[in-house]
Amino acid sequence: MTVRADSLERFIAGVQTRNPGETEFHQAVQEVAASIIPYIQDKPQYQEMQILERMAEPDRTIIFRVCWEDDNGNIRVNRGYRVQFNNSIGPYKGGIRFHPTVTSSVLKFLGFEQTFKNSLTGLPMGGGKGGSDFNPKGKSNNEVMRFCQSFMTELHRHIGEDTDVPAGDIGVGAREIGYMFGQYKRLRNEFVGVLTGKGLEFGGSLIRTEATGYGTIYMLENMLQHAGNGMEGKRVAISGSGNVATYAAEKVRQLGGSVITMSDSSGFIYDPDGIDRHKLAYMVELKQVRRGRIKDYADEFGVEFHEGRPWNVACDIAVPCATQNEISSDEAKLLLSNGCMAVSEGANMPTELGGIKAFQEAGILFGPSKAANAGGVAVSGLEMSQNSSRISWEEDELQELLKNIMKKIHDNCADYGATSNGRVDYLAGANIAGFVKVADAMLAYGVV
Ligand code: NDP
């Protein structure tokens, strides 16, 4: 039996050749491959069956035109996508993003990451991701509705409760999920759990909205406890002010930490006294209801507003919750020099590869996104179970399930990521733990 001595460089060169110009996708694959290639060196079964090579190739990518009419009667054209990445352990599952920066590369990186993340939850879900370059900002409700209906008019052919179950992501919240579910139901004449993140009146699950942000902070709390530390009194810099950032901020406060920054795409606010319950309620009203700019918070409470990202603020913990590549190598070094001792990633791939290297070399606690933000998709998995069995669980029960799932994810990453010096490499742990389950399922299926 020959063991192919694969190298990271050769593997990545192949991925780059097959996916030219898709830099975000290359980055996501490189981050995973750097953990998996050493792990499979002495496991010929994975190498001979080309498991990693097959996992880096989506099952399929669907790309389609989305036409819609704006309020002035102009015809507008956007591009829609669904990347069905890997369904080895369950139906494709992953969010839909509406943002002008959406490209095939962004959705492939997200779908690839999602496959590992969903495996980590322990629930039967494969990985997928979708979206459009449509920008919901500044659009009326009717325009958003017409766009969502047009998007779903094509997408409905490719998804289904046992095939592919999308959810929300950047730019897709309860409003957009409602419009898309309504159109699916109308086209198919069936009421099934084909989307998660639905309203509570039509099959949604309690705590789905809160789950990603809460889960990110549970992961952080687990890492701190494992290292003999805790949240009490910690100054936490959060980026973003959307769904994930809001509930991460709430959970930090509940556990005794102090949130000193939040941001949006225009800049960040620095509130050294901490964003308390009352101020967070203002933030939610400003960003989720009025869909305004974060500077209004600074004006309302007399605190500083700055353009750019919050990573030059001295903090104990950083929780990036906005978007990919929002912590550069230099910003990671700045965080470290200002005393940051832990990072928990609420957003997907928010830290550049050089930034991750800096955190790891410094030996701080680093909770990678595929583990730290898995709470959202975990509760989506629970929403799917509730929909299939036509029941709804109580809030207490779901809170407990979320906490337990995050604890199991932490422990699983800690087991696979244990190092000889006693430090836990959570990144390697998450990548390997996520890989093994999917890889073993693929081995069982043979060459498909
Ligand atoms: P939202 O649309 O609710 O919020 C996004 C926030 O990030 C907003 O404050 C937005 O600012 C800011 N933002 C978006 N893009 C940029 C950018 N290019 N530069 C600076 N700021 C930006 O999205 P979510 O909270 O749902 O998602 C945030 C992150 O979490 C994403 O990486 C997503 O993939 C990830 N995630 C989300 C999950 C979920 O359940 N929703 C699950 C797992 C991961 P502005 O208001 O100005 O647009």
Side-chain angles (χ1 to χ4, degrees):
M1 193 178 284
T2 33
V3 177
R4 194 160 52 86
D6 217 341
S7 78
L8 181 60
E9 292 72 28
R10 218 170 67 206
F11 176 73
I12 292 301
V15 170
Q16 287 170 344
T17 306
R18 279 201 308 286
N19 303 278
E22 299 195 331
T23 51
E24 294 87 356
F25 181 54
H26 305 162
Q27 181 183 340
V29 176
Q30 175 151 3
E31 184 239 89
V32 167
S35 311
I36 301 303
I37 288 177
Y39 175 74
I40 61 176
Q41 276 310 306
D42 59 351
K43 298 176 182 65
Q45 70 275 26
Y46 296 133
Q47 296 186 45
E48 283 168 4
M49 294 303 279
Q50 301 274 302
I51 296 294
L52 187 59
E53 288 78 358
R54 285 157 61 189
M55 283 177 77
E57 192 66 37
D59 288 353
R60 68 189 65 78
T61 301
I62 299 140
I63 303 183
F64 50 97
R65 182 177 64 231
V66 187
C67 298
W68 56 284
E69 190 176 336
D70 71 19
D71 287 345
N72 297 320
N74 302 310
I75 305 303
R76 311 281 287 262
V77 185
N78 286 97
R79 185 171 295 171
Y81 304 82
R82 187 72 185 164
V83 182
Q84 296 182 331
F85 221 102
N86 189 308
N87 68 352
S88 298
I89 60 167
Y92 304 107
K93 178 90 199 88
I96 290 179
R97 176 177 292 192
F98 291 162
H99 196 273
T101 57
V102 162
T103 60
S104 167
S105 170
V106 167
L107 296 178
K108 278 163 72 177
F109 113 64
L110 288 163
F112 177 76
E113 290 266 308
Q114 194 84 43
T115 303
F116 291 80
K117 179 186 315 191
N118 293 0
S119 164
L120 278 175
T121 66
L123 300 173
M125 298 181 290
K129 200 82 188 189
S132 172
D133 57 359
F134 172 74
N135 186 359
K137 234 178 253 166
K139 304 289 188 303
S140 70
N141 280 338
N142 277 336
E143 288 176 325
V144 171
M145 179 184 75
R146 286 194 292 273
F147 175 81
C148 289
Q149 289 177 342
S150 182
F151 183 82
M152 185 52 84
T153 299
E154 173 61 33
L155 187 68
H156 85 97
R157 300 177 221 282
H158 310 288
I159 61 175
E161 89 233 73
D162 295 321
T163 312
D164 183 353
V165 184
D169 191 75
I170 292 177
V172 177
R175 174 182 62 169
E176 291 75 15
I177 294 287
Y179 291 147
M180 286 192 275
F181 185 74
Q183 183 72 350
Y184 183 91
K185 188 173 67 59
R186 175 195 198 188
L187 291 166
R188 303 288 284 252
N189 193 24
E190 55 184 31
F191 191 111
V192 292
V194 69
L195 292 166
T196 57
K198 300 185 291 297
L200 294 179
E201 309 77 15
F202 51 95
S205 173
L206 287 164
I207 81 154
R208 172 61 189 90
T209 315
E210 297 88 340
T212 308
Y214 281 9
T216 301
I217 304 306
Y218 288 143
M219 178 72 186
L220 173 64
E221 190 190 27
N222 280 308
M223 292 194 301
L224 288 167
Q225 282 173 358
H226 194 260
N229 209 323
M231 280 289 295
E232 194 62 41
K234 296 286 189 305
R235 293 163 308 159
V236 182
I238 291 183
S239 64
S241 48
N243 172 267
V244 180
T246 298
Y247 293 102
E250 182 172 284
K251 190 51 75 183
V252 166
R253 199 183 44 72
Q254 287 172 2
L255 296 177
S258 173
V259 177
I260 55 174
T261 69
M262 286 180 81
S263 72
D264 67 12
S265 50
S266 64
F268 71 93
I269 57 99
Y270 170 46
D271 189 340
D273 294 336
I275 301 174
D276 62 19
R277 183 201 291 256
H278 162 67
K279 291 174 181 172
L280 189 60
Y282 176 88
M283 185 72 89
V284 170
E285 204 270 331
L286 168 65
K287 290 299 305 179
Q288 320 293 325
V289 183
R290 278 196 276 140
R291 296 177 195 268
R293 308 316 290 155
I294 205 164
K295 185 171 183 307
D296 283 9
Y297 177 103
D299 296 340
E300 177 77 13
F301 297 110
V303 301
E304 293 174 26
F305 167 80
H306 299 277
E307 287 182 358
R309 305 191 281 227
W311 313 127
N312 59 352
V313 170
C315 63
D316 303 305
I317 294 168
V319 184
C321 297
T323 192
Q324 64 270 10
N325 290 330
E326 54 165 320
I327 302 182
S328 66
S329 308
D330 287 345
E331 286 166 321
K333 288 174 193 151
L334 195 57
L335 279 165
L336 291 167
S337 66
N338 280 331
C340 179
M341 43 77 73
V343 175
S344 190
E345 296 186 325
N348 281 308
M349 204 173 73
T351 313
E352 288 181 357
L353 291 173
I356 294 177
K357 189 161 174 267
F359 291 146
Q360 290 196 311
E361 281 173 3
I364 68 165
L365 298 173
F366 176 70
S369 53
K370 56 177 77 65
N373 71 25
V377 73
V379 174
S380 274
L382 302 178
E383 182 173 332
M384 288 166 72
S385 303
Q386 293 172 81
N387 291 167
S388 320
S389 46
R390 308 252 191 278
I391 52 168
S392 47
W393 293 326
E394 300 294 327
E395 179 165 346
D396 290 355
E397 203 174 345
L398 287 158
Q399 293 278 13
E400 212 43 44
L401 285 167
L402 172 63
K403 247 185 163 162
N404 289 341
I405 289 173
M406 294 312 298
K407 172 89 171 79
K408 276 193 199 145
I409 290 175
H410 170 274
D411 294 353
N412 208 5
C413 295
D415 285 348
Y416 277 103
T419 66
S420 51
N421 64 11
R423 198 179 66 78
V424 176
D425 181 345
Y426 286 99
L427 180 64
N431 286 338
I432 297 168
F435 171 83
V436 167
K437 193 170 153 195
V438 178
D440 288 347
M442 290 174 75
L443 284 181
Y445 301 144
V447 181
V448 289

